[in-house]
Amino acid sequence: MMQPIQKILPLLFTVTALALSVQQAVASDNEEFMPLSGDDTQYMIKFKPGSTIKALGPEADSYLSAGERKQKFSRKGAMALLRQAQVQEANHLDAFGVSVAKLNAQQLQALKNNPMVDYVEEDPKRYLLAESVPYGITMVQAPQVSDAMTSNIKACVIDTGYNYGHPDLPGSGVTGYAFSGHGSWSTDGNGHGTHVAGTIAAIGGNNIGVVGVNRSAKLGLHIVKIFNDSGKWTTASNLIQAIQSCKNAGASVVNMSLGGSSSSTTESNAMTNFYNGGMLLVAAAGNAGTSAFSYPASYSAVMSVAAVNSSKVRASFSQYNSQVEISGPGVSVNSTYKNSTYASLSGTSMASPHVAGVAALVWSQHRTCSAAKIRAALNATAEDRGTAGRDTQYGWGIVRAKAAVDYLNVNRC
């Protein structure tokens, strides 16, 4: 007998949301980089408009360039004013009427007291904003496997949307679909879906933010916005439609960081049909911290993913039962977030995309394999945790990309 269609909620157990800001330095076209050295601090000296020209005396106008007249700034005049305080300039920002120099305390005071000077401020240092590799990406061995061939495969994310235009997420090769009333798939006012997508495919090598499992921006992505920005529940029937959208878009791997407590015969049959038709379905095991089953993760056609922390220990919130099949990092996972920011979130919602991302990465190197073969390889090569072999806490263990690729290189499909 068919059971009632359940409400499905996004699985999100938030610990911390860390928005990272980007610092920018603005310079004129003629600015030159001057390395800092010695004990003196470097400053920017802003001269009052026309003061550096006035410092040259009454004959100055006869040899001023057109640019100097327009900008009301003369390097020679600025140098003359600096010499009065025994200062050697390091650089000039002509368009802004600013000179740059290292100053000791006495020189600093002298310039501050000079009526020709508007203000003096410290020249703040700026640093390369290097990207970080979240611990989970290393744990699942993603950096050990080339993702150069991921353009031959597509992953689907069924969630709250996608922050299209996020500087750390792919902008090309991304398609999507949004359910009625939810706005565009390319927007995400919630952040959950963007976080999940970042774990799968955040861009590497761009010196910002984070790195995903597939970091070359070559992986195809299809986004289905099944939740609105408030993360309101959806239904099993909608989820079936969402996976059909993934299939129609050519996706081979589907991530579902969502779930509910009730099963459905229709949904179960649909999952089996999608899986038998060649799609690998991955879902979050649930965040109740109990042995209760969560769906769709607990259908046999779906890989149920438990969460572990950075010490490879099962997270206290991660559900444990006979359907848990594999594990992934899910505690304090740093990834892309709404409004082009970043956040550290926890939940089996965060563990699931690690497995989905690894599945796409491994499958991209062995495209002749079936979904069942990829699934078997991931399970056979997972890092065993807890009781030897499969157990209710970790399933077969923590997913490992390099181990799975090596396994298929030997055993083939």
mmCIF file of all heavy atoms in Angstrom, residues 8 29 35 64 78 128 157 193 211 224 237 265 276 345 394:
data_model
loop_
_atom_site.group_PDB
_atom_site.id
_atom_site.type_symbol
_atom_site.label_atom_id
_atom_site.label_comp_id
_atom_site.label_asym_id
_atom_site.label_seq_id
_atom_site.Cartn_x
_atom_site.Cartn_y
_atom_site.Cartn_z
ATOM 1 N N ILE A 8 9.844 16.703 2.883
ATOM 2 C CA ILE A 8 11.299 16.532 2.860
ATOM 3 C C ILE A 8 11.949 17.854 3.181
ATOM 4 O O ILE A 8 11.621 18.882 2.602
ATOM 5 C CB ILE A 8 11.765 16.034 1.483
ATOM 6 C CG1 ILE A 8 11.104 14.682 1.180
ATOM 7 C CG2 ILE A 8 13.265 15.914 1.421
ATOM 8 C CD1 ILE A 8 11.407 14.168 -0.184
ATOM 9 N N ASP A 29 47.769 54.211 -12.473
ATOM 10 C CA ASP A 29 48.440 53.458 -13.522
ATOM 11 C C ASP A 29 49.955 53.535 -13.408
ATOM 12 O O ASP A 29 50.659 52.631 -13.846
ATOM 13 C CB ASP A 29 48.017 54.002 -14.893
ATOM 14 C CG ASP A 29 46.569 53.674 -15.186
ATOM 15 O OD1 ASP A 29 46.038 52.741 -14.541
ATOM 16 O OD2 ASP A 29 45.979 54.350 -16.035
ATOM 17 N N PRO A 35 59.287 47.567 -2.220
ATOM 18 C CA PRO A 35 59.313 46.669 -1.072
ATOM 19 C C PRO A 35 59.604 47.427 0.215
ATOM 20 O O PRO A 35 60.349 48.400 0.223
ATOM 21 C CB PRO A 35 60.449 45.690 -1.421
ATOM 22 C CG PRO A 35 61.319 46.442 -2.365
ATOM 23 C CD PRO A 35 60.402 47.324 -3.147
ATOM 24 N N LEU A 64 55.192 73.348 -16.430
ATOM 25 C CA LEU A 64 54.306 72.275 -15.985
ATOM 26 C C LEU A 64 53.700 71.551 -17.189
ATOM 27 O O LEU A 64 53.368 72.183 -18.196
ATOM 28 C CB LEU A 64 53.175 72.832 -15.126
ATOM 29 C CG LEU A 64 53.540 73.276 -13.707
ATOM 30 C CD1 LEU A 64 52.325 73.926 -13.050
ATOM 31 C CD2 LEU A 64 54.007 72.098 -12.863
ATOM 32 N N ALA A 78 56.285 68.142 -4.956
ATOM 33 C CA ALA A 78 56.123 67.233 -3.830
ATOM 34 C C ALA A 78 57.468 66.855 -3.240
ATOM 35 O O ALA A 78 57.645 66.827 -2.011
ATOM 36 C CB ALA A 78 55.376 65.976 -4.287
ATOM 37 N N LEU A 128 48.576 38.495 -0.340
ATOM 38 C CA LEU A 128 47.951 37.565 -1.272
ATOM 39 C C LEU A 128 46.891 36.773 -0.528
ATOM 40 O O LEU A 128 47.155 36.180 0.520
ATOM 41 C CB LEU A 128 49.000 36.606 -1.849
ATOM 42 C CG LEU A 128 48.487 35.505 -2.768
ATOM 43 C CD1 LEU A 128 47.920 36.103 -4.037
ATOM 44 C CD2 LEU A 128 49.603 34.521 -3.087
ATOM 45 N N VAL A 157 22.809 18.923 -8.424
ATOM 46 C CA VAL A 157 22.610 19.321 -7.031
ATOM 47 C C VAL A 157 21.152 19.747 -6.865
ATOM 48 O O VAL A 157 20.719 20.740 -7.450
ATOM 49 C CB VAL A 157 23.544 20.478 -6.638
ATOM 50 C CG1 VAL A 157 23.272 20.914 -5.194
ATOM 51 C CG2 VAL A 157 25.008 20.076 -6.809
ATOM 52 N N GLY A 193 22.370 25.326 -0.725
ATOM 53 C CA GLY A 193 22.700 24.728 -2.019
ATOM 54 C C GLY A 193 24.041 25.179 -2.549
ATOM 55 O O GLY A 193 24.792 24.390 -3.143
ATOM 56 N N VAL A 211 38.663 25.165 -2.088
ATOM 57 C CA VAL A 211 38.824 24.227 -3.202
ATOM 58 C C VAL A 211 37.796 23.116 -3.038
ATOM 59 O O VAL A 211 37.580 22.618 -1.935
ATOM 60 C CB VAL A 211 40.248 23.615 -3.199
ATOM 61 C CG1 VAL A 211 40.381 22.567 -4.291
ATOM 62 C CG2 VAL A 211 41.290 24.699 -3.363
ATOM 63 N N VAL A 224 19.031 22.063 -9.458
ATOM 64 C CA VAL A 224 17.576 22.060 -9.348
ATOM 65 C C VAL A 224 17.207 22.746 -8.035
ATOM 66 O O VAL A 224 17.559 22.263 -6.955
ATOM 67 C CB VAL A 224 16.989 20.641 -9.379
ATOM 68 C CG1 VAL A 224 15.472 20.709 -9.216
ATOM 69 C CG2 VAL A 224 17.350 19.939 -10.677
ATOM 70 N N SER A 237 7.091 13.726 -4.446
ATOM 71 C CA SER A 237 6.747 13.830 -5.866
ATOM 72 C C SER A 237 7.592 14.904 -6.552
ATOM 73 O O SER A 237 8.018 14.735 -7.703
ATOM 74 C CB SER A 237 5.255 14.138 -6.030
ATOM 75 O OG SER A 237 4.907 15.346 -5.389
ATOM 76 N N THR A 265 6.280 4.340 -1.570
ATOM 77 C CA THR A 265 6.451 3.302 -2.585
ATOM 78 C C THR A 265 6.779 3.923 -3.938
ATOM 79 O O THR A 265 7.672 3.445 -4.652
ATOM 80 C CB THR A 265 5.170 2.455 -2.702
ATOM 81 O OG1 THR A 265 4.893 1.831 -1.451
ATOM 82 C CG2 THR A 265 5.330 1.383 -3.772
ATOM 83 N N ASN A 276 18.859 2.103 -11.863
ATOM 84 C CA ASN A 276 19.005 1.070 -12.891
ATOM 85 C C ASN A 276 19.211 1.682 -14.269
ATOM 86 O O ASN A 276 19.778 1.053 -15.171
ATOM 87 C CB ASN A 276 17.784 0.150 -12.904
ATOM 88 C CG ASN A 276 17.702 -0.728 -11.674
ATOM 89 O OD1 ASN A 276 18.696 -0.922 -10.972
ATOM 90 N ND2 ASN A 276 16.514 -1.254 -11.394
ATOM 91 N N LEU A 345 29.870 25.044 7.806
ATOM 92 C CA LEU A 345 28.618 24.418 8.218
ATOM 93 C C LEU A 345 28.845 22.952 8.571
ATOM 94 O O LEU A 345 29.828 22.336 8.148
ATOM 95 C CB LEU A 345 27.573 24.503 7.106
ATOM 96 C CG LEU A 345 27.259 25.890 6.529
ATOM 97 C CD1 LEU A 345 26.210 25.760 5.431
ATOM 98 C CD2 LEU A 345 26.782 26.829 7.616
ATOM 99 N N TYR A 394 29.408 4.015 10.195
ATOM 100 C CA TYR A 394 30.197 4.560 9.094
ATOM 101 C C TYR A 394 29.897 3.922 7.747
ATOM 102 O O TYR A 394 30.438 4.356 6.730
ATOM 103 C CB TYR A 394 31.699 4.351 9.370
ATOM 104 C CG TYR A 394 32.209 4.993 10.628
ATOM 105 C CD1 TYR A 394 32.195 4.300 11.840
ATOM 106 C CD2 TYR A 394 32.737 6.284 10.611
ATOM 107 C CE1 TYR A 394 32.685 4.890 13.002
ATOM 108 C CE2 TYR A 394 33.231 6.874 11.763
ATOM 109 C CZ TYR A 394 33.199 6.175 12.958
ATOM 110 O OH TYR A 394 33.683 6.761 14.108
#
